[in-house]
Amino acid sequence: MNSALARLEGERQSQASGWRAVVSDYLDLTKPRIIVLLLITTLAAMIMAARGLPPLGLVLVTMLAGACAAGSAGAFNCVIDRDIDRVMRRTMTRPLAAGRIEASHGIVFAGALGVISFALFYLLVNPLAAWLSLAGNVFYVLVYTLWLNRSTTLNIVIGGAAGAVPPLVGWAAVTHSIGAPAVALFALVFLWTPPHFWALALMTETDYARAKVPMLPNVHGVARTKLEIAIYAAVMVAMSLILVPLHVMSPWYLVPAAVLGAIFLFDALRLFGAPTKMNARVLFKFSLLYLALMCLVMVIDRVVV
């Protein structure tokens, strides 16, 4: 009797574990870490546009629709790049690369998320936010994933435009238009993307070479990559500071933006002087903190100051 109950309990636990594993795999397809980053910039733009917290219902719907949009793009990317993912140590355990999810199921899942996202934006937010989000996804899937990622070292540079769209969506969700602060945040994310991803590429250079992905380090070398990182970091910081004389941000914004920019530039120059994986990792990690803190500074400038 006890052995029968034990077997039954074991089967139940195995079944629960199986369902959890499936849910976890489909969640992994959406690239949740990237979703969080994109939602931070979306929410920052919404608060900036409203000069305070927008209606809670609007925030929740926009966040949900944005998460579905980003998840759809991430899942399509996993489907298309599953051959690349299989040969890269960093990505070989992804559900599609490892064969735990079939490509056809991944396509249906990605498509469903895309439809849900567009419907939520169009029906419950506004058409401009819906079309902006869709344009960002189409650009990411068709231009970046299908074309740029496999053909040119400019993949991250041009493809970064897709990741910079969420601030425009967030601003449009509140105002039904596109404002200068949203464009400024778009430009910041666009210029932030190359040094952020090239720092990652320096940490995993051999992986990209093995997968035959034309990332800057494995095509033009470490010296060219560290120079490009320093240049983009300098341009990004300069762009962030020029927002004050352009009257997009107030003078208060200048000090925290300059401090954060100086740290970013210091890390980039340290990597330029000593292109080690440790220095690349330091820059990569700080770049994430930099973007989040810059969003906070811009929000404070618009709402408090």
Side-chain angles (χ1 to χ4, degrees), residues 143-175:
V143 178
Y144 169 73
T145 304
L146 279 175
W147 175 37
L148 296 173
N149 192 39
R150 298 171 185 253
S151 62
T152 174
T153 56
L154 293 176
N155 46 17
I156 292 301
V157 177
I158 302 173
V165 168
L168 303 181
V169 175
W171 189 279
V174 174
T175 67

Side-chain angles (χ1 to χ4, degrees), residues 34 37-39 41-42 66 69-70 73-74 77 132-145 148 154-169 185-187 189-194 197:
I34 295 178
L37 194 62
L38 297 178
L39 291 184
T41 62
T42 303
N77 176 268
L132 283 171
S133 178
L134 180 61
N137 272 19
V138 169
F139 187 89
Y140 180 79
V141 175
L142 298 185
V143 178
Y144 169 73
T145 304
L148 296 173
L154 293 176
N155 46 17
I156 292 301
V157 177
I158 302 173
V165 168
L168 303 181
V169 175
L185 191 47
F186 172 93
V189 176
F190 178 76
L191 292 170
W192 167 90
T193 300
F197 276 100

Side-chain angles (χ1 to χ4, degrees), residues 242-264:
I242 204 174
L243 297 178
V244 175
L246 289 177
H247 303 292
V248 177
M249 294 291 156
S250 76
W252 174 89
Y253 157 92
L254 188 62
V255 173
V259 171
L260 291 171
I263 298 173
F264 195 109

Side-chain angles (χ1 to χ4, degrees), residues 43-45 47-48 294-304:
L43 181 59
I47 297 174
M48 289 163 63
M294 282 295 291
C295 286
L296 178 61
V297 169
M298 294 175 82
V299 164
I300 293 174
D301 184 79
R302 290 280 297 182
V303 176
V304 179

